[in-house]
Structure formats: C-alpha cells, structure tokens
Amino acid sequence: MKSQLTYKRIGLFTLAALACVSLMGCTPTSEAIEKRETKTETVPTAESAVEMHIKTIEAVLKEELNGPDVEYGQLADAAMGGNNDPNSVKQKENVVRLNSYVKERYQQYFTEEGLKEFQSSGLKSYHSYYDTEFEIRLVESEIKQSDIDTASNQYHIKSIVELTSPGEEPSLHEVEGQVIFSTKEGKIGRFSLGQKDPTLSDKIDELSKRD
C-alpha cells in the first residue's frame, strides 16, 4: 500500500511539472533558448551596420545632388533676410521655417550637432541657385568604408552628377566627400562634399549670371 501511495505522489509530481512546462514555460532550458534567440535577433552584425550607413549616405546624396530644391532655396533666401531687421518677428519666423524644413528632411540621418555643422558649411549649396535654369542629377556613387580599423566609422564618397541647362550640352562632374558616423548614436556626425576641380560650381555660377 505504501509503495502505491509513493507511485501516486510521483505521478502527481510529474503531472505538475509537465503542467508547469506546457502552461508557464518555466523550465530553465526553454528560458535559455528563448534568451539566445532574442539576443540573436536584436544585436546587429558589423555587416548590417555598414549596410545601414551606406543607405543613409545614399539618402543624403539624393537630397543634395538632385535638384534644384526650389522650396529650400526660397526658404533660405527668406531666412537670409536681405535688408530686413534680423530681430523682427517676421525674420525670426523665416528662420524657424527653414530650420523646420531642414530637420524634416535630414534629422533622421544626422546627430543634432552633425546637422548644425552640415547646415552651416554648405547644406544644399547647389540649391541656392534655385531661380537659375539648370538641373543636376545624381548619376552614380561609390561609397567605401575606411580600410583603417580605428576609423571604421568613416566613409569616402565619389559621385558623378549630370548638369543640364537649356541650350547647353549636358556635362558630367565628379563630387567627392567624406562622412563620419557617431559611434554612440549611429548617425552622421560629419558630412562634407566638394570638388577638386570646381567645374560644377563654376558652371552653375556662370548660368546664374546669364539670367
């Protein structure tokens, strides 16, 4: 009789344990597996980080090297103020409108300080000629990560843009740049574009003087 009671107790214990597994998932093994799976899904690989950086750079290049962006040009002109009093309510509103536009288009790509620097050092520099009859179009880009281990957050850019204008033959121009990502935020901390041979800027400036 005693042995039968013991078997019954063992049977009840086994059933309770199985209920715990099926209803609550309380076995250490299942928890460990779940944690490992979760960790695998949430931690990005180095390769995926590079891919995200390149996509971010490509998005900014499309903003910069296609245009002109007439809305930006108009807002920038208004924010410059001309002879207006820079302390007037209207002029402050113009600056707010420009900053809001820039943040809407770029804030997802840049750190706060990175965007301020980019905006002050030539953001949409080709688009300030928005009232000139020309068009620039990004044709292709080559984006390479630095091959120096300690500078893996840096990328080098070589882009080709096409310039077209009424009565002019289309011309191709090379634009170079460097991008540095914040290792803390994963966003752009510095973005610079320029030309060794400033033929694009010179041509746009020449076209603006004809209008």
Side-chain angles (χ1 to χ4, degrees):
M1 185 64 124
K2 184 177 180 181
S3 60
Q4 289 179 348
L5 289 173
T6 302
Y7 289 140
K8 286 182 179 179
R9 288 174 184 169
I10 292 173
L12 290 172
F13 176 82
T14 303
L15 287 173
L18 288 172
C20 177
V21 172
S22 61
L23 298 178
M24 301 175 60
C26 62
T27 63
T29 303
S30 64
E31 290 179 359
I33 292 172
E34 185 178 350
K35 287 179 180 178
R36 285 200 299 272
E37 289 176 349
T38 303
K39 185 177 181 181
T40 301
E41 291 173 357
T42 57
V43 177
T45 64
E47 184 179 0
S48 66
V50 171
E51 289 173 352
M52 287 188 291
H53 288 169
I54 290 175
K55 287 180 180 179
T56 297
I57 294 170
E58 288 174 341
V60 176
L61 288 175
K62 286 178 182 177
E63 290 280 355
E64 284 296 291
L65 300 179
N66 287 296
D69 183 338
V70 175
E71 184 176 359
Y72 173 84
Q74 292 173 339
L75 290 171
D77 270 359
M80 294 277 292
N83 296 323
N84 295 336
D85 180 2
N87 295 316
S88 67
V89 173
K90 181 179 180 180
Q91 193 53 36
K92 289 179 179 179
E93 288 176 347
N94 289 337
V95 173
V96 169
R97 289 191 189 97
L98 175 62
N99 289 337
S100 295
Y101 180 82
V102 170
K103 285 182 178 180
E104 179 184 346
R105 301 297 287 268
Y106 289 90
Q107 194 168 42
Q108 59 182 313
Y109 309 122
F110 286 80
T111 64
E112 185 175 347
E113 289 302 315
L115 184 54
K116 286 180 182 177
E117 181 181 329
F118 190 40
Q119 187 174 1
S120 65
S121 64
L123 169 67
K124 288 186 176 290
S125 57
Y126 303 116
H127 302 267
S128 59
Y129 296 93
Y130 68 94
D131 54 353
T132 300
E133 287 192 71
F134 79 97
E135 182 179 338
I136 59 172
R137 179 177 67 89
L138 178 61
V139 177
E140 63 181 46
S141 286
E142 181 183 22
I143 302 169
K144 287 186 176 181
Q145 183 185 28
S146 172
D147 55 7
I148 302 173
D149 290 341
T150 55
S152 60
N153 61 324
Q154 298 183 23
Y155 295 80
H156 302 284
I157 305 167
K158 282 188 179 181
S159 297
I160 302 296
V161 299
E162 181 185 57
L163 172 67
T164 57
S165 182
E168 296 279 339
E169 286 291 328
S171 56
L172 297 177
H173 305 268
E174 186 174 292
V175 179
E176 297 182 339
Q178 183 185 51
V179 183
I180 302 175
F181 280 82
S182 164
T183 54
K184 182 178 180 181
E185 299 180 52
K187 293 185 175 184
I188 297 172
R190 178 168 295 178
F191 194 114
S192 60
L193 283 175
Q195 294 180 275
K196 289 183 178 179
D197 178 12
T199 54
L200 178 60
S201 299
D202 290 346
K203 188 64 179 178
I204 294 175
D205 188 51
E206 179 188 329
L207 291 171
S208 70
K209 292 175 181 176
R210 295 181 188 177
D211 295 341

